[in-house]
mmCIF file of all heavy atoms in Angstrom:
data_model
loop_
_atom_site.group_PDB
_atom_site.id
_atom_site.type_symbol
_atom_site.label_atom_id
_atom_site.label_comp_id
_atom_site.label_asym_id
_atom_site.label_seq_id
_atom_site.Cartn_x
_atom_site.Cartn_y
_atom_site.Cartn_z
ATOM 1 N N ASP A 897 254.905 -182.993 -100.993
ATOM 2 C CA ASP A 897 253.786 -183.835 -100.581
ATOM 3 C C ASP A 897 252.451 -183.412 -101.210
ATOM 4 O O ASP A 897 251.417 -184.029 -100.958
ATOM 5 C CB ASP A 897 253.638 -183.794 -99.052
ATOM 6 C CG ASP A 897 254.893 -184.318 -98.373
ATOM 7 O OD1 ASP A 897 255.493 -185.266 -98.915
ATOM 8 O OD2 ASP A 897 255.293 -183.755 -97.328
ATOM 9 N N ALA A 898 252.484 -182.348 -102.001
ATOM 10 C CA ALA A 898 251.224 -181.860 -102.591
ATOM 11 C C ALA A 898 250.761 -182.791 -103.706
ATOM 12 O O ALA A 898 251.566 -183.453 -104.368
ATOM 13 C CB ALA A 898 251.440 -180.457 -103.144
ATOM 14 N N MET A 899 249.441 -182.848 -103.883
ATOM 15 C CA MET A 899 248.888 -183.614 -105.000
ATOM 16 C C MET A 899 248.804 -182.676 -106.212
ATOM 17 O O MET A 899 248.662 -181.456 -106.055
ATOM 18 C CB MET A 899 247.476 -184.125 -104.652
ATOM 19 C CG MET A 899 247.433 -185.081 -103.470
ATOM 20 S SD MET A 899 248.520 -186.522 -103.659
ATOM 21 C CE MET A 899 247.562 -187.529 -104.792
ATOM 22 N N PRO A 900 248.873 -183.232 -107.433
ATOM 23 C CA PRO A 900 248.863 -182.379 -108.627
ATOM 24 C C PRO A 900 247.724 -181.358 -108.652
ATOM 25 O O PRO A 900 247.925 -180.207 -109.017
ATOM 26 C CB PRO A 900 248.744 -183.384 -109.772
ATOM 27 C CG PRO A 900 249.442 -184.595 -109.249
ATOM 28 C CD PRO A 900 249.109 -184.645 -107.780
ATOM 29 N N ASN A 901 246.505 -181.790 -108.216
ATOM 30 C CA ASN A 901 245.380 -180.842 -108.308
ATOM 31 C C ASN A 901 245.466 -179.699 -107.290
ATOM 32 O O ASN A 901 244.655 -178.780 -107.318
ATOM 33 C CB ASN A 901 244.031 -181.565 -108.224
ATOM 34 C CG ASN A 901 243.832 -182.251 -106.891
ATOM 35 O OD1 ASN A 901 244.640 -182.097 -105.970
ATOM 36 N ND2 ASN A 901 242.754 -183.017 -106.779
ATOM 37 N N GLU A 902 246.449 -179.759 -106.407
ATOM 38 C CA GLU A 902 246.641 -178.647 -105.461
ATOM 39 C C GLU A 902 247.643 -177.623 -106.000
ATOM 40 O O GLU A 902 247.937 -176.631 -105.344
ATOM 41 C CB GLU A 902 247.166 -179.180 -104.120
ATOM 42 C CG GLU A 902 246.192 -180.089 -103.410
ATOM 43 C CD GLU A 902 246.837 -180.828 -102.245
ATOM 44 O OE1 GLU A 902 248.057 -181.082 -102.267
ATOM 45 O OE2 GLU A 902 246.114 -181.152 -101.316
ATOM 46 N N LEU A 903 248.202 -177.913 -107.174
ATOM 47 C CA LEU A 903 249.260 -177.048 -107.716
ATOM 48 C C LEU A 903 248.742 -176.172 -108.851
ATOM 49 O O LEU A 903 247.818 -176.552 -109.572
ATOM 50 C CB LEU A 903 250.401 -177.912 -108.272
ATOM 51 C CG LEU A 903 251.093 -178.857 -107.301
ATOM 52 C CD1 LEU A 903 252.108 -179.709 -108.060
ATOM 53 C CD2 LEU A 903 251.790 -178.097 -106.176
ATOM 54 N N SER A 904 249.387 -175.002 -109.030
ATOM 55 C CA SER A 904 249.067 -174.156 -110.176
ATOM 56 C C SER A 904 249.605 -174.818 -111.444
ATOM 57 O O SER A 904 250.414 -175.757 -111.363
ATOM 58 C CB SER A 904 249.726 -172.791 -110.003
ATOM 59 O OG SER A 904 251.132 -172.951 -110.097
ATOM 60 N N GLY A 905 249.181 -174.294 -112.599
ATOM 61 C CA GLY A 905 249.648 -174.853 -113.875
ATOM 62 C C GLY A 905 251.162 -174.811 -113.987
ATOM 63 O O GLY A 905 251.794 -175.771 -114.427
ATOM 64 N N GLY A 906 251.754 -173.693 -113.555
ATOM 65 C CA GLY A 906 253.214 -173.546 -113.633
ATOM 66 C C GLY A 906 253.910 -174.581 -112.758
ATOM 67 O O GLY A 906 254.912 -175.184 -113.163
ATOM 68 N N MET A 907 253.356 -174.808 -111.560
ATOM 69 C CA MET A 907 253.970 -175.799 -110.654
ATOM 70 C C MET A 907 253.831 -177.203 -111.216
ATOM 71 O O MET A 907 254.738 -178.017 -111.101
ATOM 72 C CB MET A 907 253.303 -175.727 -109.277
ATOM 73 C CG MET A 907 253.672 -174.501 -108.482
ATOM 74 S SD MET A 907 252.659 -174.499 -106.991
ATOM 75 C CE MET A 907 253.267 -173.041 -106.179
ATOM 76 N N GLN A 908 252.671 -177.469 -111.822
ATOM 77 C CA GLN A 908 252.493 -178.808 -112.408
ATOM 78 C C GLN A 908 253.498 -179.027 -113.531
ATOM 79 O O GLN A 908 254.080 -180.104 -113.640
ATOM 80 C CB GLN A 908 251.067 -178.947 -112.952
ATOM 81 C CG GLN A 908 250.035 -179.043 -111.861
ATOM 82 C CD GLN A 908 248.650 -179.285 -112.436
ATOM 83 O OE1 GLN A 908 248.451 -180.150 -113.273
ATOM 84 N NE2 GLN A 908 247.683 -178.528 -111.978
ATOM 85 N N GLN A 909 253.726 -177.990 -114.335
ATOM 86 C CA GLN A 909 254.660 -178.162 -115.442
ATOM 87 C C GLN A 909 256.092 -178.298 -114.910
ATOM 88 O O GLN A 909 256.899 -179.032 -115.463
ATOM 89 C CB GLN A 909 254.509 -177.024 -116.459
ATOM 90 C CG GLN A 909 255.100 -177.272 -117.825
ATOM 91 C CD GLN A 909 254.561 -178.499 -118.563
ATOM 92 O OE1 GLN A 909 254.343 -179.555 -117.966
ATOM 93 N NE2 GLN A 909 254.373 -178.387 -119.853
ATOM 94 N N ARG A 910 256.400 -177.607 -113.818
ATOM 95 C CA ARG A 910 257.727 -177.768 -113.198
ATOM 96 C C ARG A 910 257.907 -179.183 -112.657
ATOM 97 O O ARG A 910 258.974 -179.762 -112.763
ATOM 98 C CB ARG A 910 257.869 -176.796 -112.033
ATOM 99 C CG ARG A 910 258.219 -175.420 -112.450
ATOM 100 C CD ARG A 910 258.874 -174.727 -111.265
ATOM 101 N NE ARG A 910 258.995 -173.340 -111.517
ATOM 102 C CZ ARG A 910 258.156 -172.408 -111.053
ATOM 103 N NH1 ARG A 910 257.159 -172.748 -110.283
ATOM 104 N NH2 ARG A 910 258.343 -171.159 -111.355
ATOM 105 N N THR A 911 256.825 -179.727 -112.073
ATOM 106 C CA THR A 911 256.890 -181.103 -111.563
ATOM 107 C C THR A 911 257.128 -182.067 -112.728
ATOM 108 O O THR A 911 257.959 -182.981 -112.640
ATOM 109 C CB THR A 911 255.572 -181.487 -110.843
ATOM 110 O OG1 THR A 911 255.288 -180.494 -109.867
ATOM 111 C CG2 THR A 911 255.680 -182.849 -110.181
ATOM 112 N N ALA A 912 256.417 -181.824 -113.824
ATOM 113 C CA ALA A 912 256.581 -182.697 -115.000
ATOM 114 C C ALA A 912 258.014 -182.604 -115.531
ATOM 115 O O ALA A 912 258.595 -183.611 -115.949
ATOM 116 C CB ALA A 912 255.586 -182.306 -116.087
ATOM 117 N N LEU A 913 258.586 -181.403 -115.462
ATOM 118 C CA LEU A 913 259.972 -181.216 -115.906
ATOM 119 C C LEU A 913 260.921 -181.989 -114.982
ATOM 120 O O LEU A 913 261.821 -182.696 -115.450
ATOM 121 C CB LEU A 913 260.302 -179.722 -115.889
ATOM 122 C CG LEU A 913 261.717 -179.307 -116.261
ATOM 123 C CD1 LEU A 913 262.021 -179.679 -117.714
ATOM 124 C CD2 LEU A 913 261.907 -177.793 -116.079
ATOM 125 N N ALA A 914 260.699 -181.872 -113.676
ATOM 126 C CA ALA A 914 261.541 -182.596 -112.717
ATOM 127 C C ALA A 914 261.409 -184.100 -112.952
ATOM 128 O O ALA A 914 262.402 -184.834 -112.923
ATOM 129 C CB ALA A 914 261.131 -182.235 -111.285
ATOM 130 N N ARG A 915 260.193 -184.547 -113.229
ATOM 131 C CA ARG A 915 259.991 -185.977 -113.469
ATOM 132 C C ARG A 915 260.731 -186.428 -114.733
ATOM 133 O O ARG A 915 261.373 -187.475 -114.751
ATOM 134 C CB ARG A 915 258.498 -186.288 -113.599
ATOM 135 C CG ARG A 915 258.244 -187.782 -113.659
ATOM 136 C CD ARG A 915 256.801 -188.122 -113.784
ATOM 137 N NE ARG A 915 256.246 -187.670 -115.055
ATOM 138 C CZ ARG A 915 254.990 -187.847 -115.412
ATOM 139 N NH1 ARG A 915 254.147 -188.444 -114.593
ATOM 140 N NH2 ARG A 915 254.567 -187.435 -116.580
ATOM 141 N N ALA A 916 260.644 -185.588 -115.780
ATOM 142 C CA ALA A 916 261.313 -185.949 -117.035
ATOM 143 C C ALA A 916 262.827 -186.048 -116.829
ATOM 144 O O ALA A 916 263.481 -186.932 -117.372
ATOM 145 C CB ALA A 916 260.992 -184.922 -118.112
ATOM 146 N N LEU A 917 263.375 -185.137 -116.018
ATOM 147 C CA LEU A 917 264.827 -185.097 -115.855
ATOM 148 C C LEU A 917 265.339 -186.117 -114.832
ATOM 149 O O LEU A 917 266.485 -186.542 -114.898
ATOM 150 C CB LEU A 917 265.261 -183.688 -115.441
ATOM 151 C CG LEU A 917 265.008 -182.616 -116.506
ATOM 152 C CD1 LEU A 917 265.350 -181.234 -115.968
ATOM 153 C CD2 LEU A 917 265.821 -182.893 -117.765
ATOM 154 N N ALA A 918 264.459 -186.519 -113.902
ATOM 155 C CA ALA A 918 264.901 -187.415 -112.824
ATOM 156 C C ALA A 918 265.236 -188.805 -113.329
ATOM 157 O O ALA A 918 265.972 -189.543 -112.683
ATOM 158 C CB ALA A 918 263.820 -187.513 -111.754
ATOM 159 N N SER A 919 264.706 -189.156 -114.486
ATOM 160 C CA SER A 919 264.943 -190.524 -114.955
ATOM 161 C C SER A 919 266.325 -190.679 -115.580
ATOM 162 O O SER A 919 266.662 -191.741 -116.088
ATOM 163 C CB SER A 919 263.853 -190.907 -115.958
ATOM 164 O OG SER A 919 263.832 -189.956 -116.991
ATOM 165 N N GLY A 920 267.118 -189.610 -115.555
ATOM 166 C CA GLY A 920 268.505 -189.707 -116.022
ATOM 167 C C GLY A 920 268.644 -189.656 -117.524
ATOM 168 O O GLY A 920 269.686 -190.026 -118.070
ATOM 169 N N SER A 921 267.608 -189.179 -118.208
ATOM 170 C CA SER A 921 267.672 -189.122 -119.664
ATOM 171 C C SER A 921 268.727 -188.129 -120.120
ATOM 172 O O SER A 921 268.940 -187.102 -119.489
ATOM 173 C CB SER A 921 266.322 -188.695 -120.218
ATOM 174 O OG SER A 921 265.363 -189.633 -119.849
ATOM 175 N N LYS A 922 269.342 -188.457 -121.232
ATOM 176 C CA LYS A 922 270.377 -187.577 -121.776
ATOM 177 C C LYS A 922 269.808 -186.612 -122.804
ATOM 178 O O LYS A 922 270.459 -185.701 -123.252
ATOM 179 C CB LYS A 922 271.467 -188.424 -122.440
ATOM 180 C CG LYS A 922 271.968 -189.568 -121.574
ATOM 181 C CD LYS A 922 273.334 -189.268 -121.068
ATOM 182 C CE LYS A 922 273.977 -190.350 -120.224
ATOM 183 N NZ LYS A 922 273.164 -191.414 -119.694
ATOM 184 N N VAL A 923 268.567 -186.913 -123.214
ATOM 185 C CA VAL A 923 267.911 -186.077 -124.216
ATOM 186 C C VAL A 923 266.537 -185.677 -123.679
ATOM 187 O O VAL A 923 265.794 -186.522 -123.179
ATOM 188 C CB VAL A 923 267.739 -186.852 -125.550
ATOM 189 C CG1 VAL A 923 267.009 -186.006 -126.581
ATOM 190 C CG2 VAL A 923 269.079 -187.309 -126.090
ATOM 191 N N LEU A 924 266.241 -184.393 -123.762
ATOM 192 C CA LEU A 924 264.924 -183.926 -123.336
ATOM 193 C C LEU A 924 264.169 -183.433 -124.567
ATOM 194 O O LEU A 924 264.677 -182.596 -125.320
ATOM 195 C CB LEU A 924 265.077 -182.794 -122.318
ATOM 196 C CG LEU A 924 263.781 -182.228 -121.741
ATOM 197 C CD1 LEU A 924 263.012 -183.281 -120.949
ATOM 198 C CD2 LEU A 924 264.061 -181.015 -120.853
#
Side-chain angles (χ1 to χ4, degrees):
D897 299 324
M899 298 305 283
N901 64 7
E902 296 168 332
L903 301 175
S904 68
M907 287 174 178
Q908 289 184 48
Q909 197 58 320
R910 279 203 191 99
T911 307
L913 177 64
R915 188 180 66 180
L917 295 175
S919 56
S921 299
K922 311 253 182 345
V923 178
L924 182 63

